[in-house]
Amino acid sequence: MFDSWKNSKVKEVQYGNLQATAVQAPVIERNNVFSTTAFAFKSLWTGLKITMYYFLRPKTIVTQQYPENRETLKMPERYRHNLKLKYNEEGLHNCTGCKICETHCPNASIIIESTKGEISKKIEVDSYVWRQDSCTFCNICVLVCPFDALEWNPDFESTVYDRRLLVTQLNKYAGPPAKVIGKMDDEKKESQLNANKEKYREKYIGPNIPMNGATLAGVSKLGDSMDKKGGGESNV
Amino acid sequence: MKSLIFIVSLLLISTGLLAEIPQVVTIASIVETHYQNQDIFKTLFFIVLPMIGALTFITVLALTLVYLERKIAAHFQCRLGPMRVGFHGILQPIADAIKLLNKEDLIPKDADKLLHFIAPFIAMVGTVLGMVAIPFAPNIQVIDLDIGLLYLAAVSGIGVFAVLLAGWGSHNKWSLLGAMRAAAQLISYELSITIVLVVVVLFTGSLKLSEIIYQQDSLWWIFKGHIVSVIAFFIFFTASLAELNRTPFDLPEGEAELGAGFHTEYSGMRFSFFFLAEFINMFLACALMTTIFFGGWLPFHIQGLDALNSVMDLLPPLAWFMLKTSTLIFLMMWIRWTFPRLRIDQLMKLEWKFLLPLGLINIVLAAIVVSFKWYFFA
């Protein structure tokens, strides 16, 4: 008979240099039918109490009436749907184009192009392409990023009629991260920011030409914005 | 003349004035009177009217119970349940019923067509037959049988046939396994139920449901018979949970292992018959428990306390009956959404090693209590 895990037996174990505490699983003694029955009823009552607790408190309900409460919808803090680069107040991201996330991505959903910057003379991100259509939302990219550049955006309404629209470019500009720009002197910084504005990136990089030569709103034609490789899908 | 009494009594039921009349006017007695008077039209009228009434009642009751089950289950699990159709999803069961009726009625290729076809109807017949003997209020009862208790115990066994035939006729290994489990389970727990009914008969000395109710005018049996009654009620409640295939005893239809068990191969209307029968059976079991332990439609009376009794009389008998029955139904739902399913060996152990010995001891206790008149208001 046990009441809580605190009463269970604890044993100190030594493995070489390692010291560990082994907890012996509590065993219900079954030699007395009356105490066993009493224990059974007690545990059943515990379960009934828990369900009744939630039944009597409608505030604990977690269901959200989605289409109706679209304005006031509350998404969980750690909900993963859209990968996003973090931007500070000046609109600068932290991505240095080191490609650690690209090498760690288990299904090659991240493709990064990085070049040597003309002003900063350092490696900087040129295009950060994320393929939502092949992403499994495993969170590895966010975990491995040494510069804390990535985060999840809970906007989950990403329904599109063409899955090529799910191949997006995360960086809004091609340029060095906020840390590098912060170290520059004023003149250099201004020219860098102007260069950033020129190298503005559209969201949809995607497989550039829609199938059969048709055009899609929001999808730029090949060569219009980026003539880089567009997320791995071969063009028709 | 009796039909006039019946109609007047229906009008008076809401005031509870008829609670004191010991002569029970049932539909069966009215039909008998007209038949003896050779008044064929009135006889037919009083046969057809209760039939339509019963059909409507059963349908409405089943739909209500389905809605309540879903809603209560949702709230136990921090969900909202059906919310879209009507106010708080109140029309959801109707939408479900329409959907089920419109579905294709499939019969598996190698199934035993006859058995597969009649099984749901047998389930429904057992349910409706049980409904016949339940006293809802002083005069709302189809037939007041002298052997009402025995009749109900017998009729509740028909459901086992339906489950067995459905499992056997489906030509599906999971259905068959479910049916075998159901047979083992229902036959085992039938014993406990019958033993508890024997205790009740020992107390009341009658099998007639109306008489059992009138005897509880001083106090309900659950309080009158103190320990013996409480043990009897506990056994009856547990065993009827098993009889109804409800969690924690829902092995015959265990979704996880058997994929709905005996009704895997059913669809459309005949599936809905099983579904309906299941919910009405729950109501039946709770109504029977109300009748034999909680005084049926009687208000809460304590002999001698006239002030309390007159206050309790304010609520009409039908409301008392429904209140008690729905409380028991809620208890069943509460248990269903709290406990996990038992294993088949645990199920058998509970019955044969715990409930049955307890029931047998309880019979001896009841015999002692009755013979020395050690219960209250003897």
Side-chain angles (χ1 to χ4, degrees):
Chain A
M1 189 78 52
F2 71 98
D3 285 319
S4 69
W5 286 91
K6 285 173 196 166
N7 299 344
S8 52
K9 286 172 189 168
V10 176
K11 208 167 80 181
E12 294 293 327
V13 195
Q14 189 99 24
Y15 293 107
N17 299 328
L18 220 109
Q19 236 191 7
T21 315
V23 182
Q24 193 188 335
V27 180
I28 304 169
E29 289 165 18
R30 291 188 184 279
N31 36 26
N32 187 341
V33 69
F34 293 106
S35 62
T36 315
T37 312
F39 174 73
F41 276 107
K42 198 182 152 193
S43 63
L44 288 179
W45 176 241
T46 311
L48 287 172
K49 258 196 315 195
I50 288 172
T51 42
M52 192 42 104
Y53 177 89
Y54 287 106
F55 183 75
L56 294 177
R57 284 164 184 76
K59 276 186 182 174
T60 54
I61 288 173
V62 291
T63 311
Q64 303 202 33
Q65 296 278 292
Y66 163 54
E68 284 90 11
N69 75 339
R70 209 171 166 196
E71 309 299 319
T72 57
L73 189 71
K74 272 184 193 168
M75 294 308 290
E77 216 172 274
R78 295 188 294 168
Y79 183 76
R80 304 171 192 167
H81 196 86
N82 266 314
L83 193 62
K84 194 181 136 193
L85 280 177
K86 280 184 188 171
Y87 288 94
N88 63 7
E89 308 86 56
E90 292 176 83
L92 303 171
H93 58 68
N94 286 338
C95 183
T96 58
C98 64
K99 297 194 184 182
I100 289 178
C101 47
E102 189 185 315
T103 45
H104 280 80
C105 186
N107 38 26
S109 296
I110 296 172
I111 302 103
I112 298 172
E113 289 283 311
S114 47
T115 50
K116 200 163 191 178
E118 286 166 13
I119 302 165
S120 64
K121 309 288 182 199
K122 278 184 177 174
I123 299 287
E124 59 188 41
V125 63
D126 192 36
S127 76
Y128 191 114
V129 177
W130 174 58
R131 297 195 52 159
Q132 193 180 18
D133 55 347
S134 67
C135 183
T136 57
F137 309 97
C138 67
N139 203 28
I140 289 176
C141 46
V142 178
L143 290 175
V144 298
C145 183
F147 306 102
D148 193 23
L150 290 165
E151 67 177 353
W152 290 101
N153 184 2
D155 288 345
F156 61 92
E157 290 174 334
S158 56
T159 321
V160 284
Y161 283 105
D162 193 314
R163 76 186 184 99
R164 289 168 296 181
L165 288 169
L166 296 172
V167 184
T168 55
Q169 185 152 299
L170 296 187
N171 56 330
K172 286 178 185 165
Y173 66 92
K179 207 175 166 185
V180 174
I181 296 177
K183 283 176 185 170
M184 293 172 175
D185 50 34
D186 289 350
E187 196 183 326
K188 209 174 173 186
K189 190 176 179 179
E190 201 173 314
S191 59
Q192 178 64 61
L193 288 176
N194 285 332
N196 286 351
K197 274 176 198 164
E198 280 171 24
K199 285 190 174 178
Y200 175 76
R201 299 292 190 228
E202 281 191 9
K203 196 180 177 192
Y204 295 110
I205 172 86
N208 304 304
I209 294 183
M211 252 182 282
N212 301 328
T215 48
L216 262 171
V219 182
S220 49
K221 279 191 175 181
L222 182 68
D224 272 10
S225 65
M226 291 290 301
D227 46 4
K228 307 287 180 193
K229 66 169 178 180
E233 199 164 287
S234 61
N235 299 325
V236 181
Chain B
M1 191 59 205
K2 271 194 174 176
S3 65
L4 192 70
I5 294 172
F6 178 70
I7 292 162
V8 173
S9 68
L10 274 177
L11 294 171
L12 290 178
I13 273 161
S14 54
T15 57
L17 289 175
L18 282 174
E20 308 302 322
I21 300 174
Q23 184 63 43
V24 179
V25 183
T26 60
I27 290 161
S29 62
I30 294 167
V31 170
E32 207 183 332
T33 324
H34 287 309
Y35 183 70
Q36 277 164 4
N37 295 346
Q38 296 187 328
D39 195 341
I40 187 74
F41 290 110
K42 277 186 180 172
T43 313
L44 278 178
F45 177 74
F46 275 100
I47 290 173
V48 171
L49 180 80
M51 278 167 114
I52 296 168
L55 206 67
T56 321
F57 177 72
I58 285 175
T59 318
V60 171
L61 183 70
L63 292 181
T64 319
L65 283 175
V66 169
Y67 175 72
L68 283 177
E69 172 95 60
R70 291 181 67 178
K71 214 62 183 166
I72 287 172
H75 279 266
F76 273 129
Q77 299 172 340
C78 302
R79 295 185 288 116
L80 282 170
M83 287 291 279
R84 303 261 173 225
V85 194
F87 176 72
H88 279 250
I90 206 150
L91 299 174
Q92 184 68 48
I94 296 168
D96 285 349
I98 292 168
K99 184 207 78 176
L100 272 175
L101 293 180
N102 280 318
K103 269 186 149 181
E104 189 186 354
D105 199 0
L106 290 167
I107 297 180
K109 193 183 157 199
D110 294 326
D112 190 326
K113 287 206 173 59
L114 180 68
L115 295 187
H116 191 263
F117 184 76
I118 61 170
F121 299 107
I122 291 176
M124 205 63 202
V125 162
T127 310
V128 176
L129 282 180
M131 214 66 172
V132 164
I134 295 292
F136 290 93
N139 289 314
I140 303 184
Q141 189 178 7
V142 176
I143 185 160
D144 191 24
L145 289 168
D146 289 337
I147 50 159
L149 216 51
L150 188 67
Y151 171 79
L152 277 174
V155 157
S156 69
I158 293 178
V160 188
F161 276 111
V163 172
L164 258 178
L165 291 184
W168 181 256
S170 288
H171 196 263
N172 176 328
K173 54 180 178 278
W174 308 124
S175 297
L176 188 59
L177 273 173
M180 290 300 141
R181 281 181 180 189
Q185 175 181 329
L186 299 186
I187 290 165
S188 305
Y189 279 83
E190 199 97 310
L191 280 173
S192 285
I193 284 192
T194 320
I195 280 172
V196 170
L197 291 183
V198 170
V199 171
V200 173
V201 174
L202 270 176
F203 272 129
T204 55
S206 172
L207 288 163
K208 203 174 182 178
L209 288 175
S210 60
E211 202 176 320
I212 291 173
I213 291 175
Y214 281 121
Q215 284 192 6
Q216 302 178 64
D217 201 21
S218 50
L219 194 64
W220 299 345
W221 270 120
I222 187 106
F223 304 121
K224 226 167 151 180
H226 49 87
I227 300 171
V228 179
S229 277
V230 170
I231 294 175
F233 172 68
F234 165 71
I235 296 172
F236 195 96
F237 190 81
T238 318
S240 52
L241 276 179
E243 282 271 294
L244 297 165
N245 301 336
R246 284 182 76 79
T247 324
F249 307 107
D250 63 341
L251 291 133
E253 46 189 278
E255 297 93 342
E257 326 97 80
L258 298 181
F262 64 89
H263 59 65
T264 308
E265 298 292 349
Y266 281 91
S267 66
M269 201 167 116
R270 284 181 300 131
F271 167 73
S272 67
F273 265 51
F274 272 122
F275 206 56
L276 225 73
E278 199 175 292
F279 277 97
I280 301 295
N281 275 336
M282 179 169 73
F283 177 82
L284 264 181
C286 291
L288 185 59
M289 268 185 266
T290 307
T291 308
I292 62 181
F293 290 113
F294 294 96
W297 38 260
L298 275 177
F300 182 70
H301 280 180
I302 298 177
Q303 206 173 39
L305 299 175
D306 289 334
L308 177 81
N309 294 352
S310 51
V311 169
M312 290 296 175
D313 279 340
L314 287 174
L315 213 60
L318 191 61
W320 270 105
F321 179 83
M322 286 299 174
L323 197 71
K324 291 177 214 173
T325 311
S326 48
T327 312
L328 286 173
I329 289 174
F330 177 77
L331 193 61
M332 280 192 171
M333 289 180 178
W334 184 12
I335 283 171
R336 172 169 184 183
W337 298 105
T338 305
F339 299 142
R341 187 183 303 138
L342 293 182
R343 248 181 6 238
I344 187 81
D345 62 317
Q346 292 169 333
L347 183 91
M348 287 296 152
K349 214 168 153 185
L350 179 70
E351 163 62 17
W352 293 100
K353 288 188 174 177
F354 185 73
L355 288 185
L356 196 59
L358 192 65
L360 290 171
I361 292 166
N362 201 33
I363 279 196
V364 178
L365 269 178
I368 293 166
V369 165
V370 169
S371 53
F372 289 99
K373 291 205 183 279
W374 281 346
Y375 54 88
F376 300 119
F377 304 112

